[in-house]
Amino acid sequence: MTQPSRSQIRRWRQYLADERAEAAVYRDIASRRSGEEREILLALAEAEGRHEQHWIELLGDEVGHPRRGDFRTRVLGFLARRFGSVFVLALAQRAEARSVYNADDDATPAMAADEAIHEEVVRGLATRGRNKMSGTFRAAVFGANDGLVSNLALILGIGASGASQQAVLLAGLAGLLAGALSMGAGEYVSVRSQRELLEASRPGEAAVEALPYLDVDANELALVYRARGMSAQDAKTRADDVLGSSRPTLVVPEEVVDEHESVGSAMGAALASFCFFASGAAIPVLPYLLGADGWDAVAWSAGLVGLALLGTGAAVGVLSGASPGKRALRQLGIGFGAAAATYVLGLAFGHVV
């Protein structure tokens, strides 16, 4: 092997530092998990250790002093040591997706393949957490954004019409309370109805109790599985297995379970929606509560809401495994677009009056 160049040595040392840092991240997250998830995370750390050994062998005597991983990996490690939540797994998923091994001749094809598979493994782990929190998180994000955008639009629209500071403040507080109550009630009804629909799709107790008395030759149990979407042959095989067991239990095909829709608790979703709408709607009202008026109040309201929209957009981006920056800017553009339209309507309404 030829003597590596200085640029190669620097790059290999950085790869080595990153692999060590990523392995530490997985071990830190594993320390907060148990069972299968813990074993999977430790296996990922072991795989990163194999990659680490590859760079050590290439560097030989040029390993040098241990270096720190790149900034993103250090931030990920900091979060993993303190939280170990689904957000950290989502960030780890993005980190695996940024691997450059497939474009680097010094990395083996197996290492590039490992990184691609690691992304899918972490995606699977993160999906478990996303499904568990999706109902309440969805209500929280929607509630906060609705509160931010709708109350900012309301305040700007009323203010642009020429109303007094007291009228704008009263409208903002009324919008906060009415919107929070409406969001909470609507979320409760929505989630409760969805849970009832899912409950209606589950097998009834009477069918389970009737299993031991079915005519094995007629085997009408197969009709249940066919109605659930199985082919005739698969349904007959499943029914034969169930009726042939010592303790038959009616198990429907897995396809009827929607793994992507985790509705959560109706009351939890309603409370999250109410609280987050109220907290979001309170932000544009704050400047008026503190005595600001005119353009000063408008500027402060818009600025505070803008920061909050960037924060919620970035949080959604992190959780979904997408770019936090792009999601934050998208959220900001949509929110300010709605507020600007209402402000223009307020100006027009004020001129008419």
Side-chain angles (χ1 to χ4, degrees):
M1 180 178 178
T2 60
Q3 183 68 21
S5 65
R6 298 311 302 172
S7 63
Q8 281 182 308
I9 291 174
R10 285 195 299 270
R11 189 170 72 253
W12 296 349
R13 285 176 175 175
Q14 188 60 57
Y15 286 158
L16 175 59
D18 292 343
E19 293 291 358
R20 286 172 171 169
E22 288 176 11
V25 167
Y26 288 131
R27 284 193 292 269
D28 286 332
I29 301 176
S31 68
R32 290 169 170 77
R33 296 292 196 273
S34 60
E36 187 180 25
E37 284 192 58
R38 176 183 174 84
E39 293 178 6
I40 292 172
L41 289 163
L42 291 177
L44 288 174
E46 182 180 347
E48 302 296 354
R50 292 196 302 270
H51 298 176
E52 173 188 341
Q53 189 60 38
H54 171 79
W55 301 118
I56 290 176
E57 292 174 358
L58 280 184
L59 284 165
D61 296 334
E62 299 289 345
V63 170
H65 297 292
R67 298 181 60 177
R68 304 171 70 186
D70 64 16
F71 176 75
R72 288 174 174 173
T73 307
R74 295 203 304 273
V75 170
L76 184 58
F78 173 84
L79 295 173
R81 286 190 295 275
R82 285 157 179 79
F83 302 105
S85 68
V86 63
F87 285 95
V88 180
L89 285 172
L91 287 171
Q93 176 187 326
R94 281 185 54 78
E96 294 290 359
R98 289 193 298 266
S99 174
V100 296
Y101 285 171
N102 58 348
D104 195 316
D105 294 335
D106 296 321
T108 67
M111 291 169 64
D114 282 349
E115 295 298 323
I117 295 301
H118 290 178
E119 180 187 358
E120 293 307 314
V121 173
V122 179
R123 190 197 307 277
L125 292 174
T127 297
R128 295 184 181 187
R130 289 180 180 121
N131 287 341
K132 289 177 182 178
M133 69 179 296
S134 61
T136 303
F137 181 77
R138 174 179 55 82
V141 171
F142 287 172
N145 277 285
D146 282 353
L148 288 165
V149 176
S150 65
N151 228 27
L152 177 64
L154 175 64
I155 287 173
L156 293 186
I158 296 295
S161 69
S164 65
Q165 177 190 2
Q166 290 77 13
V168 174
L169 179 58
L170 179 61
L173 293 175
L176 184 158
L177 183 59
L181 289 171
S182 175
M183 286 289 294
E187 195 66 36
Y188 179 86
V189 172
S190 173
V191 174
R192 184 68 180 176
S193 299
Q194 192 168 2
R195 290 181 66 87
E196 290 170 351
L197 288 172
L198 292 175
E199 186 67 29
S201 299
R202 296 192 180 99
E205 291 295 329
V208 177
E209 295 172 359
L211 287 177
Y213 306 102
L214 282 177
D215 185 343
V216 177
D217 295 327
N219 203 353
E220 292 187 358
L221 179 59
L223 297 179
V224 174
Y225 298 123
R226 292 175 67 181
R228 295 281 185 168
M230 295 182 72
S231 67
Q233 185 59 44
D234 290 343
K236 183 178 183 305
T237 301
R238 173 72 71 85
D240 288 341
D241 291 342
V242 170
L243 294 178
S245 64
S246 58
R247 299 180 62 183
T249 302
L250 183 58
V251 179
V252 298
E254 296 177 355
E255 287 78 4
V256 303
V257 181
D258 187 356
E259 297 177 350
H260 301 285
E261 183 58 45
S262 205
V263 295
S265 162
M267 185 58 69
L271 289 174
S273 185
F274 176 91
C275 294
F276 278 90
F277 183 98
S279 62
I283 291 177
V285 180
L286 280 176
Y288 292 92
L289 284 174
L290 297 176
D293 59 3
W295 283 105
D296 287 342
V298 169
W300 274 105
S301 291
L304 292 173
V305 168
L307 291 175
L309 287 172
L310 289 173
T312 57
V316 172
V318 168
L319 187 64
S320 63
S323 169
K326 290 181 180 179
R327 293 297 182 273
L329 292 176
R330 183 183 69 178
Q331 208 90 326
L332 181 67
I334 293 173
F336 274 12
T342 310
Y343 184 76
V344 171
L345 289 175
L347 285 175
F349 182 76
H351 286 308
V352 171
V353 174

